[in-house]
Amino acid sequence: MPSVVPSVPQARPWDVHRLPRARGKSFLVTGGNAGIGYFLAEQLAGTGAVVVLGSRDRAKAEDAIASIGSRVPGAKVKHLPLDLADLASLKASVEALGLDRLDAVVHNAGVALDRPPRRETADGHELMFATNHLGHFALTHHLAPLLMATPGSRIVTTGSFAAKSERLDLDDLQSTHDYQPKRAYARSKLAQMLFALELDRRLRAAGSTTLSVLVHPGGALDSLTPSRPPIHVRTTGERLSRLPLGLVVQGKDAAAWPAVRAVLDPGVRGGQLLSPRAFGLRGTPRTEPLWNHIADTTTAARLWAASCDLTGTDPTFTAPDRVRRARRPGA
């Protein structure tokens, strides 16, 4: 009698329109009051999780919370005052979270300047590098205890397609000598991507269950983005005029999908890069092979050391179980 081979259940393909429930979990989205961050927060709120919008602007955050509440019945969304360009304020912001655990943080907030002059923060750092990279680097340091207290927590970092053709100048990380705004922006996003992968290597070496996942949203246009007044208003004329571009790029609602998957998909692994399926520009999220230059461990390690010096922080994780064993008498 022929033997019967039991069937192996197949994992259901990831569906951006049927997200898993996440009731009881807490997620922090930096820059969650506008753009891609808003749609990321709206979609995560639909899972039943508590979603915290990290934002400098309370009025805009309140508008975003009201908009999400009008579309997601029972949404649990709140605002956290957060200024990534002010390094000294970040510890107090994390303390104000009022949480004893954090299931995921999405490093989404960003500044993009398109013309001179070069601008600096109060700490003397170039504004885009400070906000996009250094602020998130330091924020991760302050969030580490909450993330370590949450088995399987995730740190999701938003990179950019603009970083694909750039290289870091480790001798001029802050564009002091040759400031070109678009290049400075792309390099700040490249720094974020290198950080995310170096963080994953350090988490694995520490035996931590926290994952560091990298995403990039592809191409996103306001004219292809659904209206969310007063946060974003799209006219019919704008939508119709840009419809042909929908074959190449997408709206900011769809651009949020890679980060949503990075937060929620149980099959996601640390060190992965998630991006839109069609040429990295539009479509449902998929895992993409790492670009060669973001997998450069030497550059990443040097950037990490420089970031520690510039921020006075070091987001190094130690797995709680290892800490307990180390403290055990006779260990």
Side-chain angles (χ1 to χ4, degrees):
M1 182 175 178
S3 59
V4 177
V5 178
S7 61
V8 177
Q10 298 296 311
R12 190 175 71 183
W14 179 261
D15 186 344
V16 296
H17 301 296
R18 297 181 63 185
L19 301 179
R21 300 297 294 167
R23 190 176 301 277
K25 294 189 174 184
S26 299
F27 305 133
L28 169 62
V29 180
T30 70
N33 62 291
I36 294 171
Y38 167 83
F39 286 96
L40 171 58
E42 182 182 281
Q43 291 167 36
L44 290 176
T47 69
V50 172
V51 180
V52 182
L53 310 184
S55 166
R56 289 177 303 167
D57 193 317
R58 180 176 296 278
K60 289 182 179 179
E62 289 175 351
D63 285 341
I65 291 169
S67 177
I68 293 171
S70 71
R71 290 169 173 79
V72 181
K76 305 179 190 69
V77 188
K78 62 181 185 177
H79 171 232
L80 175 72
L82 182 69
D83 185 353
L84 291 164
D86 182 2
L87 295 175
S89 71
L90 298 180
K91 184 175 186 293
S93 290
V94 170
E95 290 171 349
L97 265 172
L99 300 174
D100 56 8
R101 55 177 283 151
L102 183 65
D103 294 273
V105 56
V106 184
H107 295 329
N108 163 82
V111 172
L113 305 177
D114 57 6
R115 61 177 61 89
R118 181 179 177 278
R119 295 171 58 187
E120 291 188 350
T121 67
D123 296 315
H125 302 310
E126 190 276 317
L127 181 61
M128 288 185 282
F129 185 74
T131 305
N132 302 350
H133 171 60
L134 294 179
H136 285 120
F137 185 91
L139 179 64
T140 304
H141 167 84
H142 295 300
L143 289 172
L146 288 176
L147 293 163
M148 284 191 295
T150 314
S153 59
R154 300 183 180 191
I155 301 161
V156 179
T157 301
T158 305
S160 171
F161 206 74
K164 195 165 191 177
S165 58
E166 272 301 334
R167 299 296 184 272
L168 281 190
D169 182 348
L170 289 164
D171 296 319
D172 190 22
L173 285 172
Q174 308 217 49
S175 304
T176 304
H177 303 301
D178 183 15
Y179 178 69
Q180 299 177 35
K182 290 183 178 179
R183 186 179 68 182
Y185 170 76
R187 287 181 173 178
S188 73
K189 299 303 288 185
L190 175 56
Q192 281 192 276
M193 299 177 86
L194 288 161
F195 158 66
L197 297 177
E198 179 66 13
L199 178 60
D200 174 69
R201 288 186 283 269
R202 290 169 182 256
L203 289 168
R204 302 287 72 73
S208 175
T209 64
T210 299
L211 306 180
S212 176
V213 185
L214 181 58
V215 302
H216 80 75
L221 293 181
D222 282 335
S223 56
L224 297 175
T225 301
S227 284
R228 293 291 189 271
I231 299 159
H232 166 66
V233 178
R234 179 187 66 178
T235 67
T236 301
E238 287 173 335
R239 183 179 67 84
L240 293 175
S241 68
R242 298 292 185 172
L243 278 180
L245 285 174
L247 299 173
V248 182
V249 292
Q250 58 195 351
K252 293 182 177 179
D253 54 329
W257 291 344
V260 170
R261 182 171 185 178
V263 168
L264 296 173
D265 185 355
V268 165
R269 298 291 176 260
Q272 290 184 324
L273 170 61
L274 275 64
S275 66
R277 185 170 303 276
F279 307 105
L281 291 174
R282 68 178 302 274
T284 55
R286 53 116 193 218
T287 303
E288 177 181 348
L290 296 180
W291 310 337
N292 288 338
H293 66 305
I294 65 171
D296 180 351
T297 58
T298 300
T299 298
R302 291 181 62 189
L303 172 66
W304 187 284
S307 301
C308 289
D309 289 341
L310 291 167
T311 64
T313 64
D314 185 352
T316 297
F317 287 57
T318 302
D321 59 330
R322 290 192 174 191
V323 172
R324 286 194 293 269
R325 285 199 299 270
R327 292 177 177 171
R328 189 182 305 147

